[in-house]
Amino acid sequence: MRGPMQKIMTLLKAALIAVCAAPVSAQDTADMVRVDVLPGWRASDGSHYAALRLDLAPGWKTYWRSPGEAGVPPLFNWRGSRNLSGVDVIWPAPKPVPQFGFMTIGYDDDVVVPLHIRPKAGGRDVRLEGQLEIGVCKDICVPVSVNVAQVLPSAAKKPDPAIVAALTARPYGADEAGVRSVACRLSPVAGGVQLTATIRMPKLGVSEYAVVESSDPKVWVSPPETTRQGDSLIARTVLNHVDGRSFAVDRRGLRFTVLSRGGAVDIQGCSAG
């Protein structure tokens, strides 16, 4: 099943899961997940590395930036912060996590999510304050709202081993993984655009699975079918506009993450195929 009908069925699944529980605060979900901020260290270039540590109770799972068929995408709001110019979230490699009969992308164990902080004024502390909204799942899925606050001292110079390990666990870049080329073939289908991406790369490991993301937040990407053909990984999916209208696909804005038991690869953009 492809296109709009698949989108409708997936959204219905997500809605059924979401209504299993109303949004609750971290205080009410301490037996599911605990979240705290690792203050990290100030780098030589003036930026700061910190992290969110999500301590998941046994059996509970949470989601990656692109949560899959019916997961809950994490949201960050740093409006309460001071001396903060920007925050880049650096996700460790996730894995496909079966949930309620469909595939989600995330973590089924404790996870440290590094944050690359850009202070407004160098040489001064940063107060990181804001709200994190995540989904955690076991037999039910629970949307959790967490308030976090932590001073990130400018004098801290020693790297935190937990953050360093999480940075090391992020996906390989395309060059590191030996990706030779990525070609995208686009063709119109009812209500959208069919995308076939051919990624020429060495076999990453067992059970390769491709995740496709669009830089346009209004473009829905259906869960891809992933197959291996010799030296190429093939990902087939359908793109639809959430408003049901026609749209252009910017190949440079497509992002491919290949996951397997042997690691992960992050690939940005593709050529015409």
Side-chain angles (χ1 to χ4, degrees):
M1 180 169 53
R2 286 287 185 183
M5 183 55 67
Q6 183 184 51
K7 175 183 174 182
I8 290 170
M9 294 302 294
T10 300
L11 289 175
L12 284 173
K13 288 181 180 179
L16 287 171
I17 292 171
V19 299
C20 289
V24 292
S25 70
Q27 289 181 334
D28 298 324
T29 59
D31 58 342
M32 305 174 192
V33 61
R34 294 178 183 271
V35 181
D36 63 332
V37 179
L38 302 180
W41 71 95
R42 191 63 54 96
S44 59
D45 64 359
S47 64
H48 196 105
Y49 285 95
L52 295 169
R53 179 168 55 195
L54 281 64
D55 184 6
L56 292 161
W60 287 89
K61 305 172 179 64
T62 193
Y63 298 107
W64 185 53
R65 65 165 190 258
S66 178
E69 288 184 74
V72 178
L75 299 175
F76 303 90
N77 181 338
W78 307 113
R79 278 200 292 262
S81 302
R82 295 198 295 271
N83 191 32
L84 180 68
S85 176
V87 179
D88 296 320
V89 180
I90 305 172
W91 292 97
K95 60 184 178 181
V97 180
Q99 187 78 37
F100 303 116
F102 51 92
M103 189 65 72
T104 61
I105 310 297
Y107 310 94
D108 58 4
D109 203 349
D110 299 346
V111 60
V112 172
V113 181
L115 305 173
H116 188 213
I117 309 289
R118 298 185 299 279
K120 283 185 178 179
R124 293 175 52 190
D125 295 351
V126 172
R127 179 172 174 81
L128 186 70
E129 183 173 340
Q131 187 177 64
L132 166 66
E133 295 181 13
I134 60 173
V136 293
C137 288
K138 191 177 181 182
D139 299 323
I140 62 170
C141 284
V142 181
V144 178
S145 178
V146 183
N147 293 316
V148 295
Q150 178 68 53
V151 173
L152 312 180
S154 63
K157 303 298 182 184
K158 184 178 180 180
D160 183 326
I163 301 177
V164 172
L167 289 168
T168 303
R170 61 186 166 182
Y172 296 114
D175 291 341
E176 294 176 294
V179 176
R180 293 188 287 276
S181 64
V182 185
C184 291
R185 186 173 72 251
L186 303 173
S187 56
V189 294
V193 175
Q194 181 171 287
L195 164 68
T196 302
T198 301
I199 306 170
R200 293 189 62 211
M201 59 176 286
K203 188 174 178 62
L204 187 61
V206 177
S207 302
E208 292 174 309
Y209 184 84
V211 181
V212 183
E213 300 170 81
S214 170
S215 59
D216 186 343
K218 291 192 173 182
V219 171
W220 168 277
V221 182
S222 299
E225 295 176 356
T226 307
T227 57
R228 165 66 68 171
Q229 295 180 9
D231 69 347
S232 296
L233 195 70
I234 313 298
R236 295 183 177 87
T237 185
V238 172
L239 284 62
N240 305 100
H241 196 279
V242 295
D243 296 329
R245 62 178 180 82
S246 60
F247 61 97
V249 177
D250 179 7
R251 288 181 172 86
R252 295 170 300 178
L254 294 174
R255 188 173 187 177
F256 306 89
T257 305
V258 180
L259 307 174
S260 85
R261 296 180 190 174
V265 181
D266 188 9
I267 306 163
Q268 186 67 52
C270 60
S271 62

